[in-house]
Amino acid sequence: MGEGEIKVGGVAVASGQIARGRIQVEVGTAAGVEMPVVVVNGSRPGPTVCITGGVHGAEYPGIEAAIRLSRSLKPEVVRGAVIIIPIVSVPAFQRRAIYVNPMDGVNINRVFPGNPAGTITEVMAATLFREAVARSNAFIDLHGGDLVEALVPFTIYYQSGNAAVDEASRKMAEVYGIKYILRSMAIRGGSYQAAAAMGKPAILTESGGQGILDEPSVQIHIRGATNVLKHLGVLEGQPEAAERPVHFSHSSWLAAEQGGIFYPAVTVGQKVAKSQVVGEFRDWFGEPIAKVESPAEGIVLFLVTSPAINKGDPILSVGILD
Ligand SMILES: [Zn+2]
């Protein structure tokens, strides 16, 4: 908020100060979990913005962007405050686990806003929301393709039904600067969905993937978050002019109907027609088992690039144009 002390997970930060610390997640067992947190408390009043990386622990460009933002944002230029959690899922980061927290096998981005009496991942989600998201006015969650996923950068926001919140989220998505914007209506416990449902404008942004820490993907996140901070008045100046956005009304996920070795026939960002062949399964001897067709006409947003696919695993997602 600026002009007042902020407390996040036991880290108390006076106005005009920056502090680094840890949010302790209480799980009732000996093995606790902690999340790094940086609070930049501006000396002038303004909104509080929460920025997270590492909700999925192997999405490295978002983690790196959050760390760099936490080191470059200075209290003297910030109006309001910025609360940055560079790595939410530390256990997944340490274990290089895809999708889920290895401690309980739960995908944290399906259980927001969490449950303080639930499994460890649900408690982590609840702690993040209680300590950081609930005391913020807006929320930016930095993601990318996971270790086995390639993607074309895109931004997601949730259509919650609250017109003012939805408009604010859409505007944040547009100023972030990534061309592809997906409006999500399904409720799946996503960070941005839970935040919007509690009245906090929010976006989830995807850049990079496949376990690669590449500079262009980091820069997309840093530029995007900086644009949103300018748009919200936390930083001085105007957001950079963004490319004309392409809006998707929803996306269609394709899950594997059988396991095998998957050979994709498309790449991310490619336009596909409904029922177009997007890949093929072969068995362990190289014999073709099944062709895979696109569930819809649109743009391939992400693609699982590991050939090891099990029944029920996601394969790709197609963004469907407005
Ligand atoms: Zn993710």
Side-chain angles (χ1 to χ4, degrees):
M1 313 278 161
E3 296 192 314
E5 189 184 72
I6 297 180
K7 262 189 169 170
V8 178
V11 180
V13 194
S15 157
Q17 300 291 314
I18 180 169
R20 298 184 170 84
R22 288 170 162 80
I23 299 172
Q24 300 292 336
V25 180
E26 310 290 343
V27 287
T29 67
V33 171
E34 42 184 33
M35 296 174 195
V37 61
V38 182
V39 181
V40 186
N41 193 358
S43 42
R44 292 172 292 172
T48 298
V49 178
C50 177
I51 300 175
T52 50
V55 159
H56 293 129
E59 296 173 358
Y60 304 123
I63 292 171
E64 176 64 15
I67 289 172
R68 287 200 214 166
L69 286 162
S70 78
R71 299 182 71 85
S72 64
L73 290 169
K74 303 293 180 213
E76 50 272 26
V77 301
V78 164
R79 286 180 186 272
V82 186
I83 301 172
I84 301 175
I85 295 95
I87 310 179
V88 169
S89 297
V90 172
F93 177 84
Q94 291 174 323
R95 291 275 295 276
R96 303 184 192 128
I98 62 168
Y99 306 140
V100 300
N101 179 352
M103 296 171 78
D104 59 6
V106 172
N107 183 341
I108 193 171
N109 210 32
R110 300 288 179 274
V111 299
F112 284 115
N115 173 7
T119 70
I120 175 64
T121 301
E122 292 173 315
V123 178
M124 288 166 66
T127 305
L128 177 71
F129 262 62
R130 185 189 69 233
E131 295 297 325
V133 178
R135 61 185 58 181
S136 300
N137 304 101
F139 179 30
I140 308 170
D141 187 20
L142 310 177
H143 284 245
D146 216 317
L147 270 181
V148 296
E149 287 174 349
L151 56 75
V152 63
F154 63 99
T155 297
I156 317 177
Y157 71 98
Y158 180 52
Q159 185 139 25
S160 67
N162 178 329
V165 171
D166 297 349
E167 173 62 16
S169 297
R170 186 183 63 81
K171 197 68 201 158
M172 285 168 62
E174 289 183 354
V175 300
Y176 201 83
I178 292 176
K179 179 170 79 169
Y180 292 130
I181 298 174
L182 171 61
R183 187 171 71 241
S184 155
M185 279 175 277
I187 302 173
R188 293 190 317 179
S191 56
Y192 62 105
Q193 296 166 322
M198 63 195 288
K200 314 284 183 183
I203 53 175
L204 184 156
T205 60
E206 303 264 14
S207 172
Q210 297 178 299
I212 300 165
L213 178 53
D214 68 302
E215 190 59 23
S217 299
V218 175
Q219 288 300 327
I220 286 172
H221 278 316
I222 291 176
R223 273 202 312 272
T226 304
N227 283 337
V228 172
L229 292 175
K230 288 176 176 173
H231 164 68
L232 296 173
V234 173
L235 294 176
E236 299 260 343
Q238 293 298 314
E240 308 175 324
E243 207 179 339
R244 195 182 170 79
V246 174
H247 288 273
F248 299 109
S249 59
H250 55 292
S251 67
S252 185
W253 284 56
L254 183 62
E257 287 176 10
Q258 72 279 299
I261 307 177
F262 184 63
Y263 296 81
V266 293
T267 58
V268 295
Q270 185 176 328
K271 227 177 198 164
V272 290
K274 184 171 167 61
S275 303
Q276 178 178 335
V277 173
V278 293
E280 173 180 84
F281 278 100
R282 296 178 200 157
D283 70 13
W284 297 342
F285 305 97
E287 281 299 317
I289 311 169
K291 293 206 182 304
V292 176
E293 296 181 352
S294 174
E297 179 186 330
I299 307 282
V300 178
L301 291 179
F302 80 76
L303 177 68
V304 174
T305 50
S306 165
I309 302 277
N310 305 294
K311 184 173 170 24
D313 283 349
I315 300 177
L316 57 77
S317 154
V318 174
I320 297 162
L321 291 163
D322 247 349

